[in-house]
Amino acid sequence: QSVLTQPPSVSEAPRQRVTISCSGSNSNIGNNAVNWYQQFPGKAPKLLIYYDDLRPSGVSDRFSGSKSGTSASLTISGLQSEDEADYYCASWADSLNGWVFGGGTKLTVL
Amino acid sequence: EVQLLESGGGLVQPGGSLRLSCAASGFTFNTYAFGWVRQAPGKGLEWVSGISASGGDTSYADSVKGRFTISRDNSKNTLHLQMNSLRAEDTALYYCAKFYSATLTTVPDHWGQGNLVTVSS
């Protein structure tokens, strides 16, 4: 059972928009920034969004992040087949003095 | 270019020990925090341990506290994870992660390719 809650899977058609949610608590998301990672099978996670809504250099602007209270969201617009991957949210947890992750969401582009 | 190369994994019996290493290059090693994140086969990401740039601040998941020890050698640009009293549930791909700055509360922004640890008799 992961500390941060994500839907196990989402699916949407190409060129559409999909949103992945991440729910936490006051000791993690509510008091700290959220990061999002993209992971392809057999590959290392890649930072997609950091500090809630910032994109690292080289990440497409089709990816965007937001946060409100103890929940965060990752939105992918203009879906492409190459977006099929697992997506993880992460946040620092004050009460644990460590990082917590969501269980991951598998995105399928129909 | 940031490069993180893990080594030291392998097959070990329950109760045994392993020492993982992460050799870093492409940046000034001693100004960044580092961590270890693991992923059991077919499962999600799990925080294991982290260490600040100075080495003065460390973090451990409850599941490894007292068994694992993180350390860094700033003279050799290398991060280590000493793993003792290994259990079957420690079986996972272990990723070395560099942080965005000197402290553990920022962002793990670059990850190595992972090193497989298998605990089995």
Side-chain angles (χ1 to χ4, degrees), chain A residues 6-66:
Chain A
Q6 297 180 234
S9 64
V10 295
S11 59
E12 187 53 89
R15 297 179 298 280
Q16 299 305 304
R17 183 172 65 185
V18 69
T19 296
I20 299 172
S21 62
C22 175
S23 178
S25 68
N26 286 326
S27 69
N28 42 68
I29 293 177
N31 199 40
N32 297 287
V34 176
N35 308 315
W36 290 90
Y37 296 90
Q38 177 189 58
Q39 187 181 36
F40 295 106
K43 299 295 185 182
K46 171 191 170 184
L47 182 64
L48 207 57
I49 296 289
Y50 67 104
Y51 291 166
D52 301 337
D53 57 7
L54 300 181
R55 280 186 307 276
S57 173
V59 172
S60 170
D61 60 5
R62 297 187 299 105
F63 296 91
S64 62
S66 65

Side-chain angles (χ1 to χ4, degrees), chain B residues 74-117:
Chain B
N74 287 342
S75 68
K76 296 183 178 179
N77 292 355
T78 304
L79 175 74
H80 299 290
L81 184 69
Q82 178 65 43
M83 305 186 294
N84 298 331
S85 302
L86 283 162
R87 306 166 179 166
E89 54 265 36
D90 295 319
T91 294
L93 191 61
Y94 284 72
Y95 291 103
C96 166
K98 167 192 164 294
F99 278 67
Y100 186 72
S101 72
T103 62
L104 287 170
T105 57
T106 57
V107 183
D109 63 353
H110 287 87
W111 300 55
Q113 286 307 299
N115 199 348
L116 184 62
V117 171

